Structures are given as structure tokens and as C-alpha cells.
Amino acid sequence: MLLSIVFFIIGIYTNIGLEEKLNPLIDGNKDVNPNDTINEKNPHMEKDEVMAKEGLAITIGKNIKEVKKEFGEPDRIDMSAYGYDWWIYNKDYNDYFQLAMENGKVVSAYGIGDNVNISPFKIGQSIDAIYSSLYIEPTVDIEAGDSVYRFELSEEDMNMRPLIELGDIHVQLYLDKFSGTVSSVRFLDDSTLLKQQPYELTYHGSLVPVKDLSEEEWTNVRVGNERQIFDIANIMRSRFDLKPLNWNDSIAKIAYLNSQEMKGTQEETQVSETKGDLADRLKAGKIQYSAAGENIAANYVDAAAVMEGWLNSEGHRETMLSEEFTDLGVGVYKKYYTQNFIAKK
């Protein structure tokens, strides 16, 4: 569930909305026209014909030595809740991507920077081009040992985050329904997809186990998710020629306490039973501002997923892409997420 609220203290307008070495990856989409089909020579490929020969997709399965040789050291490493660490490459927002490293190998890759090679797709490619090129099915089956799994995609999933088989891996296409384009892409191996369970799942056999985390481990996951949400928010803003937001520790603390409190409620709400609404919380924190807004969500698998969810919800999108705001604080508690925005006086 997603909730968003924006209010302005100065002025009379109120808006409330309710409702998720880089060279090898740069300029590598030479055969992909963002306004045309994936493959102009064969514009109606079957799923078994969709292959990737370059870019992020072929990082899946590579080892640490290969990754460092190709891309260098990551700018930072963030812990995830799924047994892998995110290697973050963030030298520039246009070149931003993440590699999930588990047991010394890449098991997932996420690309959102405009220059990142996500072949056979492309950031900014039109949704019409995707659907005119590919037959995308509402079910995806996986066999692993004696177990059989089926992901079933809803109509909303098909419109905003279809799941596509790409050789022996899978790709989640995050689509911006408002601009009608590809926003970002996640490549995954079978095991990682089954750990995350991002769609409705039926199965015969046993589930892929996910380790229970200690409170200290959840704290490390929290820090990573918060930093990624901040980075991705500014990447999304840059696409619309908006100024980047500044990180604000004071409102991040307020956001974290809100996410922590959401964990104890049956339904996400922006009015805390103990601390009131956002205006009350900012006042208690002695935050000076001329305008403020908030986005909250729960049960998304991670930072990338919740950011794409917010982008596709009108109220949340308006909040994230507001020209008014100057500062952002993010608070994450397990799978509860809060963004607090302010415009400084």
C-alpha cells in the first residue's frame, strides 16, 4: 500500500494525494531505438528468442574478479535482506547501477541511469515498442530440483512491471505509466527471484529459504535502502530537469520513527496515534520549513521496487517531483518505507 501527502504552510494551496570503469555499460544500446521495436529486423520475437549479448544482463553469474576488472571497485556496498550485498556504482546519476553479489557471484543487476546498457532494452524506450516487439505472458514457470513454481502477474503487474524470460535469467521491466517509457530494469537468476517473491506465487515443493536477520543486520539493510531511495529519487528528478534534493538527517530521523511505528499498525497511515500527522512530527522535531510532503509504503521487496511504486502513483509522483522541495529524509524499518520532503524557509 502506498500513501502520500503534501501540504504547504506558506500560501493557500494544498494538495493531498493517496495511493513503488563504467564504459562497458555506457552507450551500449546501439541497436535499440527508444521509439522503435527491440529488434527492427524481427519486430515480433518469441520469448525464447529474446537474448542479451552485452550490458547488465550478462553480468549475472560473473565472479568478483571479473566484476572488478570490468567496472572497478564499487562506490559503496549495501547489505540486502536476501543474502546478497548490493555493489553500488554511482559515479554519476546517468551511469547508476547496482550489482547483487552472493557467494562471490552476481545474482541480480539493477540499472536506472540513462546511459546504462540494459540490452536488449533501453532506459526511456517506449512501452508500445516493448509490447509490439514481445509477447509477454501473465504467468512465468520455474523448475528447481523437485519443486515447481508459478508466478502469476496481475493486470497492474503487466502494465507496470512485467516479468520476462531472458535466456536462463529473468528481467523485471519497471515501466513509467505516466511517461509511457522504461524507467529501470532488474535482471535476476531463478534463486533470487524466488527469494524475493515479487508477484503472486503458487508452488509444488518447497520455498527457497531466506535467512532470518538479526536486529543488527536489519539496521545494516535499513541504511542501504535509505541511501538507495535517496539516490534513485534524485535520478528520477534529474529526468525531469529538477534540482537534486539535499539529504537531511533531522527529517530522516522523523521518517524512520514513522516507518518504525507503521510496523505496529494493521494499516499504513500518515497520522501517528502517538505523534500526529507530518506537521505535528516536524514541529516536534523543531524543523523550519515552508512546505512539506510525505510518501509512505509497505511490503515492497527493496528500495528500487518501492521507488518505482511511488513513481507510478499520481500523488506520490507529484510529491517526489515537486519543484518546491529542497531536502529529503528517508526512513526505513524492515519493509516499511517513509520519505519526508521539505522546502527550507
Side-chain angles (χ1 to χ4, degrees), residues 60-98:
I60 306 301
K62 289 188 175 182
N63 60 39
I64 290 176
K65 184 177 180 180
E66 290 173 308
V67 168
K68 287 185 176 181
K69 181 179 180 180
E70 192 168 359
F71 308 121
E73 294 285 345
D75 294 287
R76 70 171 190 266
I77 296 178
D78 295 340
M79 184 177 175
S80 82
Y82 301 97
Y84 54 79
D85 290 329
W86 280 119
W87 285 29
I88 310 295
Y89 289 86
N90 188 25
K91 292 180 173 62
D92 183 273
Y93 282 151
N94 287 327
D95 305 321
Y96 184 102
F97 65 96
Q98 305 179 185

Side-chain angles (χ1 to χ4, degrees), residues 251-276:
I251 59 175
K253 292 175 183 176
I254 293 170
Y256 172 72
L257 292 174
N258 185 69
S259 291
Q260 190 176 44
E261 184 162 311
M262 276 200 293
K263 175 65 171 64
T265 62
Q266 292 185 343
E267 186 172 337
E268 299 85 53
T269 175
Q270 284 162 310
V271 180
S272 164
E273 293 182 2
T274 59
K275 299 178 178 63

Side-chain angles (χ1 to χ4, degrees), residues 187-287:
F187 301 96
L188 316 90
D189 65 12
D190 287 354
S191 178
T192 305
L193 180 60
L194 289 167
K195 284 180 184 178
Q196 293 184 359
Q197 298 179 33
Y199 308 93
E200 184 177 344
L201 176 66
T202 57
Y203 66 99
H204 177 75
S206 58
L207 291 172
V208 175
V210 179
K211 175 190 172 185
D212 290 330
L213 301 183
S214 66
E215 285 301 316
E216 181 180 356
E217 288 171 324
W218 272 118
T219 297
N220 291 331
V221 172
R222 168 178 69 84
V223 172
N225 276 323
E226 290 172 351
R227 291 188 293 193
Q228 291 166 40
I229 288 173
F230 176 74
D231 287 338
I232 295 171
N234 277 330
I235 292 169
M236 290 177 172
R237 288 175 63 87
S238 71
R239 290 178 176 171
F240 296 92
D241 299 321
L242 296 170
K243 292 181 179 179
L245 300 168
N246 301 307
W247 177 266
N248 189 306
D249 276 326
S250 297
I251 59 175
K253 292 175 183 176
I254 293 170
Y256 172 72
L257 292 174
N258 185 69
S259 291
Q260 190 176 44
E261 184 162 311
M262 276 200 293
K263 175 65 171 64
T265 62
Q266 292 185 343
E267 186 172 337
E268 299 85 53
T269 175
Q270 284 162 310
V271 180
S272 164
E273 293 182 2
T274 59
K275 299 178 178 63
D277 62 13
L278 178 57
D280 296 325
R281 284 178 268 133
L282 292 174
K283 182 178 180 180
K286 299 180 180 180
I287 306 298

Side-chain angles (χ1 to χ4, degrees), residues 20 86 98 110 112 174 184-186 225 228-229 232 236 300-310 337:
E20 177 227 263
W86 280 119
Q98 305 179 185
Y110 173 75
I112 189 172
Y174 289 110
S184 65
V185 170
R186 189 195 303 251
N225 276 323
Q228 291 166 40
I229 288 173
I232 295 171
M236 290 177 172
Y300 284 81
V301 298
D302 58 15
V306 74
M307 285 301 299
E308 295 294 346
W310 280 328
Y337 307 88

Side-chain angles (χ1 to χ4, degrees), residues 47 135-140 151 153 158 162-165:
K47 67 179 182 180
Y135 176 69
I136 301 176
E137 298 182 271
T139 60
V140 173
F151 287 107
L153 280 64
M158 294 290 285
L163 182 65
I164 301 167
E165 295 180 64

